[in-house]
Amino acid sequence: MVTFSRARMVPRAAILMTASALLLAGCAETSTGGSGSNGGGEGVAFGATMEEYREAFADVDPIVLFTQSPSTQGSTGGAFIDAYTSAVEEWSDGKITFDIAYSDAIAKATEIDNAIVDGRLDIGQVLAVYEPQEFPATSALLDASVLSDQSVVTGVLQSNAWPADIALNTPEIVAEFEDKGMKLMLPAYNAGMNALFCSDKRTALPDYQGRSISVGSTAGNQQVSALGSTPTSVAYTEAYEALQRGVIDCSMLSPAAAQIGGILEVAPQTVIDPAAGLAVPSGNMAMNLDVWESLPLVAQQLMWDRLDAFVTGSIEGKIWPVTVESVQEIQQYGGTIEPFADDARVAVQDANNKIVEAIAGNSGLSDGAGFVTSVRDSADKWSEIIAELGYTNETDYNGFATWYEPGKIDIAPYVDRVYEEIFLPYRPS
């Protein structure tokens, strides 16, 4: 197999060649199952130390994997990619390395899945929200994200747990990736809550009557309509000018996207309501299935075990720092972050219930009604786990920028629980 990456022709066999004791030249029989197939060799036990992993890699020839980051090198926007790739490289003693293209230089957001399948990328972050017809079951989970807690601490933790739990336990979601030639690695992670960024303060239903709001999802369309506004599609690159000129009154985006796009300068009046969630944008880290199945078992296990670094990097390295920066910028431009007024909150909650109940008819699910029950149960379960672990919201969004500092929240117990309950059952063996 030949891969074209960065205009260079790279023989896949050369990339993945390892010692014969651990890999039979990618020709070993493989099988699909809960733990996945592998290219052979001995593995290590769950909980293996870095020293034990490095020892297991002693006879493994170098493995180079091509990936990309959505942001520039070293920036907050790509912190989760840097955290994951660095951890894998360190724990493998440099036997696995990543060739990273920054600023989505290989494939833009709508093309990442194609790039993974055709070999331009070995591993990447697939955004199924752009292709609901290609990923109907995954899109059902995206719609169900309206069930997520939207608060600044517990919401971030809960919303990055229960959807991944559902995804790996829903055969149709896993199959949507495998049938296209991808291994689903880390599903349904997010970069922070969606919010309404408006040019003027809007919290109550009358504030939204007849207004125009740009959105990027079907669920978002329904939520905006429930507020009495008109949902419209505006290219992200044109949102700043559209808000500035009054073509649209608000834009539904994540704080990270709003900050990058300069939206906060012209639309600093922000609505995030912990009890009335807007659809949460999420991604799925996936890998070329042929590449995954050709890796020696110890490499598969390491890449799976270090998903903890991805989760940590996403929350500590990206979401909370971006929240701090966004709050500071919102306040700089005279804005605040408010919840909905009671009437608007009820309208969005009613819309959310309809969105979730409609999932029962999703054609991508064999048991839509059962899926609806599962997502509700899982969202509640992980809210309870977060509380059980002792996490609380000691401040709201407006106060977060002054309250938070790196290391203030110990998320290690949370990350351990996420790995053990969600990812450990699917660890390669």
Side-chain angles (χ1 to χ4, degrees), residues 30 35 55 111 128 156 164 176 229 236 261 277 280 296:
T30 60
S35 60
E55 182 179 349
E111 291 293 321
V156 168
E176 283 181 345
S229 295
Y236 176 65
V280 180

Side-chain angles (χ1 to χ4, degrees), residues 214 234-235 237-250 266:
S214 64
V234 174
T237 54
E238 300 173 4
Y240 177 94
E241 184 177 358
L243 285 161
Q244 187 180 48
R245 295 170 55 194
V247 175
I248 57 175
D249 300 287
C250 306
V266 290

Side-chain angles (χ1 to χ4, degrees), residues 339-360:
F340 287 116
D342 290 344
D343 56 355
R345 180 180 302 112
V346 170
V348 172
Q349 288 172 332
D350 289 345
N352 288 350
N353 283 325
K354 292 176 182 177
I355 289 167
V356 174
E357 291 305 315
I359 294 171

